Amino acid sequence: DVKVTQSSRYLVKRTGEKVFLECVQDMDHENMFWYRQDPGLGLRLIYFSYDVKMKEKGDIPEGYSVSREKKERFSLILESASTNQTSMYLCASSFRAQPQHFGDGTRLSIL
Amino acid sequence: AQTVTQSQPEMSVQEAETVTLSCTYDTSENNYYLFWYKQPPSRQMILVIRQEAYKQQNATENRFSVNFQKAAKSFSLKISDSQLGDTAMYFCAFMKHEGGSQGNLIFGKGTKLSVKP
């Protein structure tokens, strides 16, 4: 079974902090994704990556950046956290056009 | 650009009954995939069922089946013999078959399904 592991289930940070959300997958998948999930809005794509050191902006990249230094790890970075970034963050991975596999999610609160 | 619409924000069904969740989508692509994902209260998103657009036969997975109407761009999910464990958010999603952004999912806003004892 594919395992996508997100480093934290719950995280509380302060406004202005630099926040790192980590995601690791164990199936040698090329594709990795970061989503934000908010009630009534569904899942919105923040960034995705098709290969190491490669990244593409999704629908809502503002205020975020990503890093993919190794194939199995995809990090989401909030450069200067703001209260409107309080949300559930989901990481996913996939092989080409196969279904995506998701992590458990990180519920991030910015105070 | 592709869009996915789930018109039912919330639904409920009695245990053992059948329920159908609606999904429509808009695309100019001819080859694509459609998915239903389930997110239980524990939060991990799980794939329920997948449909390739070039296949006319509707996909089935045990109690879960779809009604895929390509011309109408409709992709509904039917859950038979509903169980308490089916309580979850259900998301319909679209993926292009090839070309740029291959592998990217476009999600609907979700339908919250409650199965009542």
Side-chain angles (χ1 to χ4, degrees):
Chain A
D1 260 4
V2 176
K3 190 155 181 66
V4 179
T5 303
Q6 294 185 231
S7 52
S8 305
R9 291 292 293 265
Y10 300 93
L11 204 55
V12 180
K13 296 291 183 181
R14 296 207 174 272
T15 304
E17 280 193 69
K18 191 169 185 176
V19 180
F20 294 85
L21 302 184
E22 306 287 345
C23 176
V24 177
Q25 49 93 4
D26 66 356
M27 283 300 292
D28 202 36
H29 283 168
E30 305 156 329
N31 305 333
M32 296 190 75
F33 307 84
W34 274 107
Y35 295 91
R36 171 175 173 158
Q37 184 179 8
D38 299 288
L41 297 179
L43 276 75
R44 293 179 291 168
L45 182 63
I46 304 172
Y47 268 97
F48 60 98
S49 170
Y50 289 154
D51 203 351
V52 177
K53 296 192 186 296
M54 179 262 165
K55 60 186 178 184
E56 295 280 348
K57 291 180 180 179
D59 300 318
I60 53 164
E62 297 78 19
Y64 304 94
S65 62
V66 290
S67 172
R68 193 162 181 204
E69 296 295 319
K70 294 184 177 181
K71 193 173 185 179
E72 67 271 17
R73 185 181 296 270
F74 192 36
S75 303
L76 179 69
I77 303 157
L78 285 66
E79 296 290 345
S80 178
S82 64
T83 55
N84 62 13
Q85 293 177 309
T86 291
S87 187
M88 172 71 77
Y89 290 88
L90 294 175
C91 175
S93 73
S94 70
F95 176 68
R96 295 186 186 173
Q98 295 300 308
Q100 292 182 16
H101 297 264
F102 286 81
D104 286 341
T106 296
R107 186 170 293 284
L108 176 65
S109 296
I110 307 296
L111 304 180
Chain B
Q2 291 79 24
T3 59
V4 176
T5 302
Q6 293 179 249
S7 58
Q8 306 148 315
E10 291 193 42
M11 295 188 72
S12 65
V13 63
Q14 292 295 129
E15 200 174 4
E17 297 291 307
T18 295
V19 64
T20 298
L21 308 184
S22 300
C23 173
T24 59
Y25 59 95
D26 189 24
T27 184
S28 58
E29 303 284 331
N30 190 47
N31 292 324
Y32 49 87
Y33 300 100
L34 295 164
F35 304 87
W36 279 98
Y37 279 88
K38 168 186 177 181
Q39 188 182 40
S42 63
R43 294 180 301 163
Q44 186 177 45
M45 195 84 73
I46 303 164
L47 177 68
V48 175
I49 201 165
R50 176 171 89 158
Q51 175 80 41
E52 290 91 343
Y54 65 87
K55 288 187 177 179
Q56 292 186 334
Q57 187 172 7
N58 289 325
T60 62
E61 282 290 339
N62 301 315
R63 297 182 296 106
F64 298 87
S65 62
V66 298
N67 182 4
F68 173 49
Q69 303 288 329
K70 191 173 184 180
K73 296 180 181 175
S74 170
F75 183 60
S76 61
L77 175 70
K78 185 171 84 171
I79 306 174
S80 304
D81 186 25
S82 297
Q83 300 176 0
L84 296 178
D86 295 333
T87 291
M89 281 291 289
Y90 287 82
F91 292 95
C92 178
F94 171 99
M95 179 191 293
K96 288 169 60 176
H97 182 268
E98 59 192 3
S101 300
Q102 183 191 41
N104 284 17
L105 287 170
I106 310 297
F107 284 92
K109 289 185 167 55
T111 296
K112 184 177 181 181
L113 177 67
S114 298
V115 180
K116 300 187 185 303

